[in-house]
Structure formats: C-alpha cells, structure tokens
Amino acid sequence: MSKKLYIKTYGCQMNVYDTVRMHDVMAPLGYSAAESYEDADMVILNTCHIREKADEKVYSDLGRIRKEKDRKTASGEKMLVAVGGCVGQAEGAEIIKRAPYVDMVFGPQSYHQLPEMVTKAIRDNGGVVELDFAPVDKFDKLPEVSNSQGVSAFLSVQEGCDKFCSFCVVPYTRGVEYSRPFATVMTEARKLVDGGAKEIMLLGQNVNAYHGEGGQGGKIAGLADLIDALAQINGLERIRYTTSHPRDMSYDLIAIHGSEAKLMPYLHLPVQSGSDEILKKMNRKHKAELYFDIIDRLRKVRHDIALSSDFIVGFPGETDENFEDTMNLIRRVGYASVYSFKYSQRPGTPAAVDENQVPEMVKQERLARLQALVHEQQIAFNQSAVGKTMKVLFDRDGKHDGQLLGKSEYMQSVYVKEAPGLRGNIVDVKITAGFLNSLTGEVSYLSCERHGCTGSCAA
Ligand code: SAM
Ligand code: SF4
C-alpha cells in the first residue's frame, strides 16, 4: 500500500546523505517522500546534537508534530513519529519519556533496521529504541543507492571519529572511525554517475582519515587513492570532500590537489582556534604551525585553492590573547568562507565540566568580531571573481522566479537568469557581481542556430 514518509534533516551533510538512504530503506515498504509532515503517515526527525541550539529545535518541532498526530488520531488516521540521528543516539529512551507520542528512537548507525522498527512500533504501539553502534552492519545491509540525488550527489565514505576533541559529541554519537571498503564506494559512485551525477562530494566526519580495505593491488586505499580512482569514471566531472582534520592532510592528498583537475580547488579544513594553548585544551593534537604549513603546501600545488574553516570562540579558558591568536590566524590564511560558533557545553564531553567557562557576553562579542573579519575576507574573495568567466554547475532553482542557482569550482553560489540547457550542466558564466554569500552572472552565448542564441549555447 502506498504511504508517505516525511524526513526532516538537521545539521551536517552526512545527515543529508543518511536521509536519502533512509528513503531507500523505506521504499520497498511502499513509502514515498512527502512534501510536509502534514501529508505524512510517518515522520522522521534526522537530528543533530553538535550544539545546544540544534538540540532544542528538535523538541520545538516535536511539539508541532504532536498537534498533527493528535489531529490525525482524532480523525481515525495513524501517524508514526520517529527521532533518528545523533540526538536519538545521545538521548535514547529519554526522548520517549519526555515526548511519549514519539514511537521510535534510533541512532545514526541503526537506520538500516527501519523496516523491523516500524513493524515493532505498529505492533506494540510505539516504544521502540534502537541504538546499535556498528557501521559495518549498516553499510552491509543498506539497499543499493537510488538514482535520486541528481547532478550533485553525496557519498559517505567514512563515519565516526576516534579523535575525541574535548568539546565534541561525535565520537559518542557516531561511534568509532570506520571507512567503507574501496570497492563498495566505487560501485556506489558509478551508480550515482549512471543516475546523472556529475559531481560527487565524499563525506565523513574526518573524511581525510579514509583508509578503505581493498584498494589497488589489495592495499589499503587512502583518500588520495580513492580520488584518483574516482577521477577515472567517465561522466564524473567534479570531486569534492568534507570534512577534514589537519592531522590527516597527508602528502599524497595535498599533492593530488595539484595534479587532478577533477578535484575542485576548494578545501574545508577546520582549525577551530589559532592559539596553541587552546588547541591543546581542545585535544586537537597539533599546533597552529602545522596548519600554516599545510596551507603553504596546498597553495604551492594549487595557488588558487579557496579555503574554508570552522572556528569555535569562547572555548573554556580562552583569554583575549588566545582569541587574538585566532584572529591573526584568520588574517594570515585569508578565507573564502568560514563557519563560526560560540562554544556550546555538550553533556558527556570533558570541556563541558571545565570550571573556566567563558561568559556568554564575551563569547558573543568575540563571535561578532570574528565574523566581521571573515565577512570582509568573504566579500573580497567573491568580488575578486567579478569580470571573470567561471565554470558553474547548475543544480537547483534560485531564490526568485526565473532564476537558477549553481556552484562555481570554488564552491561559491552563483545565480543566473534561467535559460534552456543550463540546469544539470556545467556552463561558462561571466560574473557580474559579488556579495557576501553569492555571485551573480550571465551566461555568454556564442552563436547557436537551434535557439538563435548569440553565445556558446549550453543546450
Ligand atoms: N571533524 C571536523 C573537525 O575535526 O574539525 C569537525 C566536525 S564537527 C561535526 C563540525 C563543527 O562543529 C566543528 O568543526 C566545530 O567547529 C563545531 N563544534 C563541534 N562541537 C562544538 C561545540 N561543543 N560547540 C561549538 N561548536 C562545536
Ligand atoms: Fe569532533 Fe572532528 Fe574532533 Fe572528531 S575530530 S572529535 S568529529 S571535532
């Protein structure tokens, strides 16, 4: 019987990938995607636990969903409500205690068991909690990936983390570091390309720690080996990867940025802080100097590489001087984009019980100063594109009617007027303006008899 499933995704790109895979798992049971929770027979919240705010959102969304469930129950319909993802893993049965209308709770490593969980929830009227922790099991048991990701696709190759940064919940919610075997990743990539993907973003909490069994010659494949093999797939034109840890930026990975044209000139390499003292307290296990050295080596092999990072301000014990070290690191590196966060105390992590918590006002003020600096850099980077012609992959509607949105090689959002033949293609675009978060441009056509265009027609 045909049923509707609505999944709301919070947080990182790995969750976006997991959502796609949950739809794949549920499709054989007759569930197709719903546009909203009001239209759904089942709702899954695929949650994020990384910061307090992400957590709170889940409970406020659950409040709204409860009203819809009550309405449906009153009119004799049924609605299953599930909380999956990292909040599910971290809070488990507590969620059902706090919100008894939730029927199922599961973690990021258990969603391959959704069919069994649904059967149990229907039979027992809720109360299902599944917090298994074996990524090997999950990837072995997931069905083949569907063709539904379009021209730009996500592919999880690595999960979990053994680094235990003192502020982070990931090792507790996603489990130990695990790399999918090389052959499985290659098969999934070919399937995505057959389904129309021109760009693949390789995903992992520490994707550059990738070490997949069964690489060329039976060796363990590192991320550079994987990129090298993926680049041989006809039809795949762009490769990206995220998120990386500085300690796993190996020599061959840096080198391939200079030698492989399909590897896009953009790297998100979080450093979190520019202060050695704070990096030590964060248990990052490297100093700022290592980061500078990596950036220098990357720029030697690919001078135009666009860089991005994550920063946490107001980590416990962070002094004004420590914060200035971060500002100086940002000035020295020069970023194309930055994600910055106020430190958030996460239950169960060592930094959460540190007595030297930084007052909220100080965090707020530091975040504002940091963001003002990175916004200057971001605008300068985007404006430096004006007048240049860039290759843009168009994959979605823009904000306004008649607009298309795509990504430049440097990961900038580029808006153009919609025209035939642009969607799903990589097209030359002349950039006309640069803003804080986007560019606008025009597709310059050469002559084209079919459409009467006066530019290089993309159709
Ligand atoms: N593995 C990546 C690395 O090592 O840099 C980071 C992945 S983490 C899922 C994404 C980002 O969330 C981190 O880079 C960090 O900036 C931020 N983050 C994690 N825990 C946080 C916390 N307790 N408070 C504020 N930001 C946090
Ligand atoms: Fe979290 Fe990244 Fe540190 Fe792992 S390396 S604990 S994912 S911040």
Side-chain angles (χ1 to χ4, degrees):
M1 207 174 63
S2 141
K3 290 191 173 156
K4 290 279 185 188
L5 168 64
Y6 178 70
I7 308 184
K8 175 160 180 179
T9 314
Y10 306 69
C12 65
Q13 287 134 321
M14 302 207 59
N15 271 11
V16 176
Y17 174 84
D18 288 345
T19 291
V20 173
R21 305 300 271 130
M22 285 183 209
H23 278 293
D24 290 344
V25 174
M26 295 296 285
L29 273 72
Y31 281 89
S32 59
E35 293 286 317
S36 69
Y37 65 84
E38 287 95 341
D39 300 331
D41 302 287
M42 177 172 180
V43 177
I44 300 177
L45 301 187
N46 188 12
T47 60
C48 171
H49 195 52
I50 201 87
R51 283 171 294 276
E52 202 178 354
K53 269 203 181 140
D55 236 29
E56 286 163 1
K57 261 200 212 149
V58 174
Y59 283 101
S60 72
D61 282 345
L62 274 176
R64 272 191 290 277
I65 290 163
R66 175 200 195 152
K67 286 193 187 133
E68 185 58 25
K69 182 168 174 163
D70 287 348
R71 193 192 62 74
K72 283 204 159 96
T73 311
S75 58
E77 295 168 65
K78 279 212 176 333
M79 185 183 190
L80 279 178
V81 178
V83 176
C86 291
V87 176
Q89 188 69 43
E91 297 190 6
E94 279 304 305
I95 296 176
I96 299 186
K97 264 198 203 152
R98 192 169 155 183
Y101 49 91
V102 170
D103 302 289
M104 294 160 44
V105 175
F106 58 92
Q109 307 305 354
S110 320
Y111 63 79
H112 57 292
Q113 299 177 52
L114 269 168
E116 293 85 349
M117 288 189 248
V118 168
T119 310
K120 254 199 223 165
I122 293 171
R123 189 192 61 208
D124 303 342
N125 207 11
V128 177
V129 178
E130 188 53 77
L131 307 175
D132 256 12
F133 227 75
V136 189
D137 254 29
K138 177 178 83 182
F139 284 114
D140 274 358
K141 290 181 186 146
L142 282 175
E144 250 197 15
V145 70
S146 69
N147 285 340
S148 59
Q149 282 202 51
V151 286
S152 185
F154 288 142
L155 202 175
S156 275
V157 302
Q158 180 275 342
E159 275 214 85
C161 182
D162 293 337
K163 294 214 164 45
F164 289 92
C165 297
S166 60
F167 52 83
C168 184
V169 290
V170 167
Y172 311 97
T173 56
R174 288 260 175 187
V176 293
E177 202 170 288
Y178 166 75
S179 293
R180 294 177 67 188
F182 177 80
T184 324
V185 174
M186 291 301 294
T187 306
E188 190 166 321
R190 284 192 201 99
K191 184 93 201 294
L192 290 169
V193 174
D194 289 346
K198 293 184 175 168
E199 172 175 270
I200 290 185
M201 171 79 93
L202 303 172
L203 298 178
Q205 259 85 30
N206 275 311
V207 71
N208 59 340
Y210 177 79
H211 55 286
E213 278 175 12
Q216 315 280 15
K219 288 197 203 129
I220 296 287
L223 189 63
D225 303 319
L226 183 61
I227 291 168
D228 187 38
L230 289 168
Q232 315 303 318
I233 300 178
N234 282 334
L236 179 60
E237 297 181 43
R238 290 180 162 195
I239 302 167
R240 303 182 186 275
Y241 62 92
T242 200
T243 291
S244 297
H245 192 291
R247 286 188 61 214
D248 294 315
M249 277 316 291
S250 62
Y251 279 87
D252 56 347
L253 186 55
I254 292 175
I256 202 167
H257 275 277
S259 60
E260 181 46 68
K262 288 187 181 181
L263 182 58
M264 290 295 97
Y266 168 88
L267 179 65
H268 181 63
L269 188 63
V271 63
Q272 316 297 353
S273 169
S275 152
D276 285 346
E277 214 177 301
I278 295 297
L279 287 171
K280 187 156 192 240
K281 287 187 180 158
M282 286 178 163
N283 195 29
R284 294 290 289 181
K285 299 201 178 90
H286 71 82
K287 295 188 172 173
E289 208 44 49
L290 174 83
Y291 191 78
F292 290 131
D293 181 50
I294 293 167
I295 303 298
D296 289 348
R297 285 189 283 134
L298 276 165
R299 283 183 167 149
K300 261 193 199 126
V301 297
R302 185 79 212 227
H303 71 92
D304 61 339
I305 193 160
L307 294 163
S308 158
S309 181
D310 292 342
F311 289 93
I312 295 179
V313 301
F315 183 79
E318 186 187 68
T319 62
D320 286 343
E321 208 185 348
N322 298 146
F323 176 68
E324 286 312 320
D325 288 340
T326 299
M327 295 289 274
N328 286 332
L329 179 143
I330 294 171
R331 287 186 192 104
R332 179 162 160 189
V333 173
Y335 287 100
S337 69
V338 156
Y339 301 85
S340 50
F341 314 101
K342 286 185 283 181
Y343 167 69
S344 167
Q345 277 171 282
R346 305 315 291 133
T349 59
V353 289
D354 190 313
E355 285 168 0
N356 302 308
Q357 299 295 324
V358 172
E360 183 60 27
M361 284 269 288
V362 177
K363 286 190 208 172
Q364 191 65 50
E365 190 262 337
R366 288 182 188 161
L367 185 69
R369 280 189 55 208
L370 186 149
Q371 289 184 339
L373 174 61
V374 298
H375 286 175
E376 271 174 33
Q377 296 189 344
Q378 222 164 294
I379 289 185
F381 179 72
N382 284 343
Q383 289 185 343
S384 72
V386 176
K388 292 183 183 155
T389 297
M390 292 184 142
K391 295 208 175 298
V392 179
L393 172 58
F394 289 102
D395 66 338
R396 63 193 69 187
D397 291 333
K399 280 189 201 140
H400 306 294
D401 279 352
Q403 233 188 12
L404 266 191
L405 172 59
K407 285 273 188 273
S408 76
E409 293 182 311
Y410 306 98
M411 203 66 179
Q412 294 143 300
S413 294
V414 183
Y415 291 91
V416 296
K417 219 166 109 190
E418 172 139 38
L422 299 185
R423 195 183 287 268
N425 286 313
I426 296 174
V427 180
D428 281 344
V429 175
K430 180 139 191 226
I431 303 305
T432 50
F435 308 97
L436 177 60
N437 293 313
S438 64
L439 306 173
T440 53
E442 283 166 5
V443 178
S444 45
Y445 295 99
L446 293 172
S447 66
C448 153
E449 285 174 16
R450 195 145 52 104
H451 303 106
C453 317
T454 52
S456 74
C457 178

